[in-house]
Amino acid sequence: MNLNDLINQVSSWLKGTGPHSDIVISSRIRLARNLEKTPFPHWAKKNDAEQVLVSTKAAFERTAELKSAVFLHLEELDNIDKQFLVERHLMSNEHAVRSNQKALCVTSREDVAVMVNEEDHLRIQVMESGFDLDKTWDVINSIDDQLSGFLPYAFSREWGYLTACPTNTGTGMRGSVMLHLPALVMSRQINKVLEAIAKLSFTTRGLYGEGTQASGNFFQISNQVSLGLREEEILGNIKGVIGQIIEQEQKAREVLLAEHREMLEDRIWRSYGTLKNAHIISSSETVELLSMLRLGNDLGLIENMERGLINELFILTQPAHLQKLEGKKLSANERDVKRAQIIRERLKV
Amino acid sequence: MLCNICNKNQATVHLTEIVDNQMTELHLCDDCAKKKSIQMEQQFGLSDLLAGLVDYSKQLGGSEKMAAGTQCPFCGLTYEDFRKIGRLGCSECYTAFGRYLGPLLKRIHGASQHVGKTPLSLPQEGLKSSARSVRGSSVTELKTRLQEAVDHEEFEEAARLRDAIKEAEKKKKETKKENESE
Ligand SMILES: [Zn+2]
Ligand SMILES: [Zn+2]
């Protein structure tokens, strides 16, 4: 596999399949792991960091799920390629900005991605489409077990996996679920939901930006606590909370359909109309309108459309993707034109 | 609707902000949203949060000067460095700063004893007992062999056995389901 092959495929976690995929976009688990007696990346000398690249690469080559994955040295990539990987949720923005002695290992399905020398020596991530933390856990647990045989993990019986930042110490695990909650937003119930989540020590983030609370109607919810609970307990807690949010969103959708059907249909079809006809469109308007299109599709108001196609458009319409599709650098204005063109082409019946 | 910050452009991004448990809604244009997002990241950066937490645990942890001067013998990071950057320097820092980190971890996580998984290369507490409890199945046999492989540090074999166990357990479940549906 080659980096440029990725643009012509849909990441497996975006397929729009799996349990509750009308509300849940994806389930993701990441594990933070470090090597013992090796300075953490921010504190490491160049030689130490390079040694980590060598030993982790060798370990990946012996791990079943990672054997045929690509190992990308980030220093060798240009800015658009790095941004492209961030937009596909395969690595953090931080990893793209400071890329000395950093690497990314990605499988061809894009379900597994391991950042090397980010905040920790290893940040292992597994993503699945829909609400399926159990399957996600099975995959990442197996990868972690194999790697723990090849690499001397930093671990203490008392505090578990030792991480650069003490907020990750313990299991080193963060489970998160990306939700699409348009009905809770429209019916102005979302604030209550978010308040309740914050009290249960879960974090909410937006679709792209880490600093923003929400973008469009997308919310990423994850656990904060990583020490003192078993992995299965942490995931169980997330499943419990997410299950309730799904139920509330379903109810809110039913109420909208029953009491405000015309308003809803109007908003959805206007969004569809704009997407199909616009010649200039910004990325935030795109997210907002695609969210409505997705809702229309999930409610069965718009038929004959693949959910995976809508999901894919969220990713394809971002700056680095547009520039890779065009094959050259584009200004902000040129991107708005290209974005509209891509959307029109994909939505053509 | 116009952007709440510049009052010029059309608001396209709608944010909910929580400050001191107060929820406020913000309607912003593209440009202002971008600025706001950078600002928020800086405001609520993890290292700030941590610096606050470290200060707190320092108050609990006796002499200020002693804590700040403590140094990790392996990587050279001092407790003062940790306070500034919010990151530890290496695995050995956890031992060097142990007495200060204990209360800090407790404050962050509400607990200070790990109960999750253990690396495959270390003796597994849960594994032997679970192998005993399903005596007679081939899964038991595999689990015993896995423990042996781990004991002998044959990790490739251990990983393979781990997969085999998972496969066997999955098959067991499937056959059970098939039998039930028939
Ligand atoms: Zn503005
Ligand atoms: Zn150290």
Side-chain angles (χ1 to χ4, degrees):
Chain A
M1 189 191 74
N2 174 297
L3 179 66
N4 290 321
D5 295 338
L6 297 182
I7 195 140
N8 296 317
Q9 70 172 31
V10 184
S11 323
S12 61
W13 60 271
L14 265 176
K15 292 252 158 80
T17 55
H20 294 287
S21 48
D22 55 337
I23 293 172
V24 179
I25 312 283
S26 60
S27 303
R28 168 181 173 266
I29 298 177
R30 76 111 165 96
L31 295 174
R33 296 291 187 257
N34 287 284
L35 310 186
E36 63 173 15
K37 298 195 172 145
T38 307
F40 296 143
H42 76 94
W43 196 244
K45 302 253 162 34
K46 198 176 168 200
N47 281 351
D48 290 323
E50 268 164 8
Q51 191 48 49
V52 171
L53 289 178
V54 172
S55 55
T56 54
K57 185 167 190 276
F60 297 161
E61 280 161 8
R62 296 167 73 186
T63 301
E65 290 84 349
L66 298 173
K67 256 180 201 137
S68 47
V70 277
F71 189 90
L72 302 163
H73 290 270
L74 293 191
E75 285 155 274
E76 293 166 11
L77 302 183
D78 64 27
N79 285 338
I80 290 187
D81 277 344
K82 283 190 276 190
Q83 193 52 39
F84 172 77
L85 293 166
V86 174
E87 288 173 3
R88 293 182 87 79
H89 295 226
L90 295 171
M91 67 181 205
S92 66
N93 202 34
E94 174 68 22
H95 211 46
V97 175
R98 278 175 263 265
S99 46
N100 294 351
Q101 289 90 47
K102 291 185 196 305
L104 176 74
C105 182
V106 191
T107 60
S108 58
R109 286 183 72 237
E110 297 176 65
D111 55 339
V112 186
V114 188
M115 289 189 279
V116 184
N117 284 334
E118 208 245 21
E119 182 178 302
D120 295 294
H121 292 136
L122 292 180
R123 283 287 177 99
I124 312 164
Q125 160 182 298
V126 173
M127 283 216 268
E128 294 287 344
S129 183
F131 187 30
D132 203 346
L133 284 168
D134 291 336
K135 184 178 169 199
T136 312
W137 171 244
D138 281 348
V139 174
I140 203 164
N141 192 24
S142 157
I143 293 172
D144 181 50
D145 279 342
Q146 293 168 68
L147 289 174
S148 78
F150 308 134
L151 297 166
Y153 275 170
F155 179 83
S156 102
R157 290 275 179 199
E158 187 181 5
W159 292 332
Y161 294 90
L162 305 177
T163 52
C165 181
T167 53
N168 295 312
T169 309
T171 56
M173 186 179 84
R174 191 133 300 161
S176 45
V177 176
M178 180 79 76
L179 296 154
H180 184 224
L181 306 174
L184 285 174
V185 173
M186 277 191 267
S187 58
R188 299 187 158 266
Q189 297 176 68
I190 191 71
N191 290 355
K192 260 187 268 163
V193 174
L194 293 182
E195 266 173 5
I197 292 167
K199 279 195 191 118
L200 295 167
S201 59
F202 286 90
T203 323
T204 311
R205 282 180 180 162
L207 181 57
Y208 313 112
E210 296 223 328
T212 54
Q213 278 278 330
S215 160
N217 299 313
F218 292 91
F219 301 84
Q220 187 178 302
I221 292 168
S222 46
N223 65 297
Q224 251 173 346
V225 168
S226 59
L227 180 65
L229 292 169
R230 288 188 306 113
E231 289 83 355
E232 289 85 353
E233 289 175 306
I234 294 174
L235 296 174
N237 291 344
I238 302 175
K239 281 191 273 180
V241 169
I242 300 294
Q244 287 182 29
I245 299 174
I246 291 174
E247 239 172 69
Q248 295 191 41
E249 170 69 17
Q250 273 164 344
K251 265 186 221 148
R253 288 183 184 188
E254 280 163 24
V255 171
L256 275 179
L257 266 181
E259 292 173 16
H260 307 281
R261 192 183 178 104
E262 271 170 0
M263 181 277 286
L264 190 63
E265 282 185 325
D266 183 64
R267 268 192 78 174
I268 288 167
W269 284 100
R270 277 172 185 271
S271 301
Y272 194 13
T274 304
L275 288 166
K276 275 206 294 196
N277 295 295
H279 279 244
I280 299 174
I281 194 165
S282 74
S283 70
S284 54
E285 187 182 4
T286 302
V287 172
E288 202 120 308
L289 298 181
L290 282 174
S291 166
M292 282 299 110
L293 184 59
R294 198 181 195 277
L295 178 64
N297 186 50
D298 291 337
L299 292 175
L301 297 174
I302 292 175
E303 286 170 347
N304 302 322
M305 186 169 292
E306 291 264 333
R307 188 183 287 140
L309 169 70
I310 306 174
N311 285 353
E312 191 191 4
L313 278 174
F314 282 103
I315 304 294
L316 279 181
T317 51
Q318 291 182 70
H321 275 77
L322 294 173
Q323 295 177 74
K324 276 191 87 71
L325 284 169
E326 185 69 21
K328 63 172 197 199
K329 246 180 135 55
L330 298 172
S331 69
N333 290 340
E334 288 169 334
R335 289 202 298 269
D336 289 351
V337 172
K338 179 74 184 169
R339 183 178 296 114
Q341 181 207 326
I342 296 285
I343 296 170
R344 285 200 315 276
E345 275 171 19
R346 301 275 165 155
L347 291 182
K348 213 181 277 168
V349 185
Chain B
M1 190 185 300
L2 286 180
C3 168
N4 291 160
I5 291 184
C6 65
N7 277 318
K8 271 189 225 145
N9 304 327
Q10 197 65 28
T12 48
V13 178
H14 309 280
L15 286 175
T16 309
E17 245 191 327
I18 307 172
V19 181
D20 297 332
N21 286 327
Q22 284 290 327
M23 184 103 40
T24 46
E25 277 185 25
L26 266 180
H27 307 281
L28 307 176
C29 70
D30 258 10
D31 288 347
C32 293
K34 256 178 220 141
K35 279 181 214 144
K36 182 83 190 163
S37 138
I38 294 165
Q39 188 194 339
M40 276 169 83
E41 231 161 304
Q42 286 164 348
Q43 215 172 336
F44 301 112
L46 207 52
S47 62
D48 291 342
L49 171 72
L50 267 173
L53 286 169
V54 178
D55 278 340
Y56 176 86
S57 81
K58 191 190 64 193
Q59 287 162 15
L60 299 175
S63 163
E64 197 174 316
K65 271 187 186 153
M66 260 181 62
T70 312
Q71 188 172 30
C72 169
F74 185 82
C75 76
L77 187 105
T78 64
Y79 197 75
E80 183 67 27
D81 292 329
F82 170 55
R83 277 192 51 194
K84 267 188 220 135
I85 52 186
R87 302 280 184 280
L88 292 151
C90 74
S91 56
E92 307 314 295
C93 288
Y94 277 87
T95 313
F97 311 138
R99 52 183 289 218
Y100 312 111
L101 283 178
L104 175 63
L105 289 169
K106 177 109 193 169
R107 175 145 166 85
I108 297 172
H109 299 284
S112 49
Q113 176 60 54
H114 176 63
V115 293
K117 69 183 286 194
T118 302
L120 211 54
S121 51
L122 298 173
Q124 306 286 303
E125 275 162 19
L127 206 56
K128 274 178 182 157
S129 58
S130 76
R132 236 180 276 130
S133 67
V134 273
R135 197 179 289 266
S137 70
S138 64
V139 174
T140 318
E141 234 178 82
L142 286 169
K143 282 189 176 164
T144 314
R145 276 167 60 199
L146 169 59
Q147 188 57 51
E148 281 167 12
V150 169
D151 291 344
H152 293 101
E153 299 192 352
E154 293 157 355
F155 299 119
E156 248 185 298
E157 176 68 1
R160 202 188 58 76
L161 284 164
R162 178 99 196 195
D163 287 349
I165 291 168
K166 206 169 283 161
E167 200 54 38
E169 280 175 339
K170 206 160 99 196
K171 271 201 192 121
K172 234 165 76 182
K173 244 188 241 163
E174 275 164 14
T175 23
K176 213 176 144 196
K177 256 189 217 151
E178 270 167 32
N179 291 343
E180 278 166 2
S181 62
E182 266 165 23

